[in-house]
Amino acid sequence: MKRSLALISAAMICVALFSVSCQKDDVNQNWKKKKPEVETVKIWGEDFVNTNVSVTRDAGFKKTAKITIKDNFEWEVYAGTADSLIDLTTLVGKGDAAGTFELDVVPTEMKYVFYVKTPQGAAIVAERLLPMTGAQNFRDLGGYRTTDGRYVKWGRFYRSAMINALTDGDLAYLASVPLNSVIDLRSSADLTNAPDRLPSTARQGQWHNVEVGYGALPNMGNNMLTYYNGIVVDAIAMPSYARMFELFADESNLPIMVHCTAGRDRTGIVCMMILLALGVDEETVVADFMLSYNYVPQYGAMSDTWIKASMNSIKAKYGSYDTYFTDVMGVDLKAFRNKYLY
């Protein structure tokens, strides 16, 4: 009897030990399966950051990066040479008050994008106006919010006035973007008189002269409203726009920059098309168009009625922007937006 009890006790102890061992193995296996959380770039908070935060770069040799905070709230800033390369382990700026502050990025002569985190939201930001010494109105089309709540990616589409006088420092900065392609909208005479200076990254067959011709329209300088109204639906001009969207749709061509002489009229129309195709609202598109007057006022007055005439002309003839881009330009809007929106 005693021998039987001893055997039963020994068996129970073995079962208990086996159970504990199995539990430990389960815990170890679960621990191995559970991966540590890695912080990632997340855009949230609607438009809080874009409304309250802006980044600028000083023109000149140093090109110091500065952040302007419009109100008092806690903020942190991280940086990277591309939005996919933002280093979330190293702060380049931090604070809890409004003001303008220098960001700690080295080397300063390179292009950066910044990830700004606040308790109210987080977003990727960059400078709207690039710090060029030898070109005016050189801007990034990124950061604009779309009607479906996404954002245009920074560093994909650029616009500018003529770039024949870019300095070596400007070219080095654009190579760090890296600017890959250039579309020059100017006439052949302009190309001869003031040829583009291109960064090393845009010299491999990636320069395109796409002059937008027109049929019975008046010269742009004679009647601006009539020109803007007609050029977006003109039969002779349409193939040129379609050609540009073929270039835009191929990611290997980006980052890409479009320019003319002042970077406001011909370029403004093309950039209107890019933003509308990405789903940016009309009010924002008009505001981007009118920014040119801040940077090239020497070319004369501007009116928002011009670009509104272009938009109204498209809707009057085709019913909607989606029809215009899909049926006339041959753009796959879903693919286009998925490529170039956050």
Side-chain angles (χ1 to χ4, degrees):
M1 181 68 177
K2 287 182 179 180
R3 178 179 174 81
S4 297
L5 289 172
L7 290 172
I8 292 170
S9 297
M12 291 176 67
I13 290 171
C14 288
V15 169
L17 289 173
F18 179 76
S19 176
V20 170
S21 175
C22 288
Q23 288 176 9
K24 285 183 178 179
D25 287 343
D26 288 344
V27 169
N28 288 336
Q29 290 300 319
N30 289 336
W31 182 84
K32 288 177 183 177
K33 288 178 182 178
K34 185 178 180 182
K35 296 181 180 179
E37 264 191 44
V38 177
E39 187 174 6
T40 57
V41 171
K42 297 177 182 177
I43 299 172
W44 64 280
E46 293 189 350
D47 226 13
F48 180 83
V49 171
N50 285 315
T51 301
N52 292 282
V53 178
S54 61
V55 169
T56 58
R57 301 294 294 267
D58 292 342
F61 176 75
K62 195 175 179 184
K63 302 189 187 304
T64 302
K66 296 177 181 178
I67 189 168
T68 297
I69 308 294
K70 293 184 179 178
D71 206 345
N72 295 323
F73 51 82
E74 294 180 352
W75 50 272
E76 295 179 351
V77 187
Y78 304 85
T81 52
D83 46 24
S84 60
L85 299 174
I86 293 173
D87 180 4
L88 293 177
T89 66
T90 305
L91 281 169
V92 298
K94 182 177 182 179
D96 59 8
T100 298
F101 308 91
E102 188 171 327
L103 295 172
D104 184 18
V105 289
V106 178
T108 59
E109 63 271 16
M110 287 185 65
K111 167 75 174 176
Y112 294 93
V113 293
F114 301 92
Y115 180 55
V116 181
K117 291 175 60 179
T118 78
Q120 297 85 355
I124 297 171
V125 298
E127 73 268 18
R128 176 72 58 208
L129 181 70
L130 272 66
M132 298 291 100
T133 301
Q136 296 177 299
N137 204 15
F138 205 126
R139 290 187 272 141
D140 193 329
L141 289 180
Y144 290 128
R145 193 165 190 250
T146 64
T147 55
D148 64 356
R150 292 189 284 178
Y151 293 86
V152 179
K153 290 181 178 180
W154 291 96
R156 272 53 169 194
F157 297 100
Y158 294 93
R159 58 179 298 171
S160 181
M162 55 187 178
I163 57 172
N164 62 299
L166 289 174
T167 66
D168 290 344
D170 293 336
L171 294 174
Y173 188 83
L174 294 175
S176 77
V177 167
L179 186 64
N180 193 30
S181 305
V182 172
I183 296 177
D184 192 334
L185 302 174
R186 297 176 302 158
S187 67
S188 55
D190 291 330
L191 302 182
T192 302
N193 295 331
D196 287 349
R197 291 202 74 198
L198 301 174
S200 57
T201 51
R203 288 179 178 166
Q204 304 301 316
Q206 292 300 93
W207 179 87
H208 309 273
N209 178 219
V210 185
E211 186 177 355
V212 180
Y214 50 83
L217 296 174
N219 182 277
M220 184 166 49
N222 296 332
N223 190 323
M224 299 299 285
L225 196 60
T226 302
Y227 179 86
Y228 273 84
N229 183 73
I231 194 67
V232 291
V233 294
D234 184 76
I236 294 178
M238 297 305 293
S240 296
Y241 294 130
R243 169 60 180 146
M244 282 184 265
F245 270 92
E246 288 178 3
L247 295 172
F248 299 151
D250 185 348
E251 285 184 277
S252 69
N253 292 321
L254 274 66
I256 193 167
M257 186 268 283
V258 180
H259 84 94
C260 54
T261 300
R264 69 167 210 179
D265 297 304
R266 289 167 288 185
T267 299
I269 290 169
V270 174
C271 291
M272 171 205 73
M273 292 181 178
I274 293 171
L275 293 176
L276 289 175
L278 289 171
V280 176
D281 65 271
E282 290 182 347
E283 183 179 354
T284 302
V285 173
V286 172
D288 180 79
F289 172 77
M290 292 302 295
L291 279 177
S292 287
Y293 185 69
N294 296 338
Y295 305 124
V296 285
Q298 69 272 28
Y299 287 96
M302 291 181 66
S303 171
D304 62 3
T305 60
W306 301 347
I307 203 69
K308 288 178 180 178
S310 290
M311 294 190 291
N312 289 336
S313 183
I314 291 171
K315 290 183 291 185
K317 184 166 184 177
Y318 298 103
S320 71
Y321 298 128
D322 284 6
T323 299
Y324 179 68
F325 292 116
T326 301
D327 296 350
V328 181
M329 302 289 190
V331 180
D332 182 339
L333 287 177
K334 183 178 180 181
F336 193 67
R337 292 169 182 173
N338 286 339
K339 287 176 186 177
Y340 304 129
L341 296 178
Y342 296 122

